[in-house]
Amino acid sequence: MPAGTPSNLADWGTRAIGAVIDWLPAFIISVVTYRAYFLSLLSLAYWAYLRHLEGVTGQTPGKAMQGTRLVDEKGQVLGSGQGIGRKFLHILDIIVCWLGFLLPLVDNKRQTIADKVVNSYVVTGVEKKPFNVSLWMVPKA
């Protein structure tokens, strides 16, 4: 493992399951609001909120249920701005025919292109949380 890389990196399958859990509500919102274009902005708002949540807590609901967390090389959460920025940087993963999302399968740091740009890692070893509405809430300080 390269220096500065956490030792408890999440495998691709665990990351993918967490992403699907996070993606399902946005998919449902999009289907329900298919013809109501203004309301379809709810899907975008949902994604921005999840990235803020991930930035300040290190977890989205999918990551919490999978027992993973997004951290920097020091093991700290990224912060809201970097969490949202990382999500927009996933455009780089999409540009290469979505292959950037498969990069963690072969990369020794298990990072997507977006992870490499912001120097973030998805790690395991966090308590798995059961499905609960509170997973979508920012914890009170």
Side-chain angles (χ1 to χ4, degrees):
M1 200 71 55
T5 304
S7 60
N8 56 335
L9 297 172
D11 64 69
W12 186 85
T14 302
R15 290 178 67 156
I17 292 169
V20 168
I21 292 168
D22 292 337
W23 180 78
L24 278 175
F27 176 75
I28 292 167
I29 291 168
S30 294
V31 168
V32 170
T33 63
Y34 171 66
R35 286 291 195 183
Y37 299 113
F38 179 74
L39 289 176
S40 65
L41 292 175
L42 289 174
S43 223
L44 180 61
Y46 171 77
W47 276 112
Y49 176 73
L50 278 190
R51 294 322 125 201
H52 162 72
L53 183 64
E54 185 175 46
V56 297
T57 67
Q59 293 184 304
T60 59
K63 281 183 175 58
M65 286 187 257
Q66 288 301 108
T68 63
R69 173 171 276 135
L70 179 70
V71 297
D72 64 15
E73 70 279 354
K74 295 175 186 164
Q76 303 298 312
V77 295
L78 301 180
S80 181
Q82 209 169 7
I84 293 169
R86 176 180 172 267
K87 179 45 79 186
F88 284 110
L89 285 168
H90 277 309
I91 290 168
L92 300 173
D93 296 310
I94 294 168
I95 287 173
V96 291
C97 301
W98 296 79
L99 293 176
F101 291 112
L102 298 176
L103 188 58
L105 286 168
V106 296
D107 182 63
N108 62 349
K109 292 184 176 186
R110 296 187 183 167
Q111 293 175 299
T112 63
I113 297 168
D115 287 324
K116 289 184 175 301
V117 172
V118 298
N119 203 21
S120 62
Y121 302 89
V122 178
V123 297
T124 60
V126 181
E127 175 189 356
K128 287 185 178 184
K129 297 177 183 170
F131 177 84
N132 187 317
V133 172
S134 67
L135 295 177
W136 277 266
M137 306 296 166
V138 176
K140 292 182 170 98

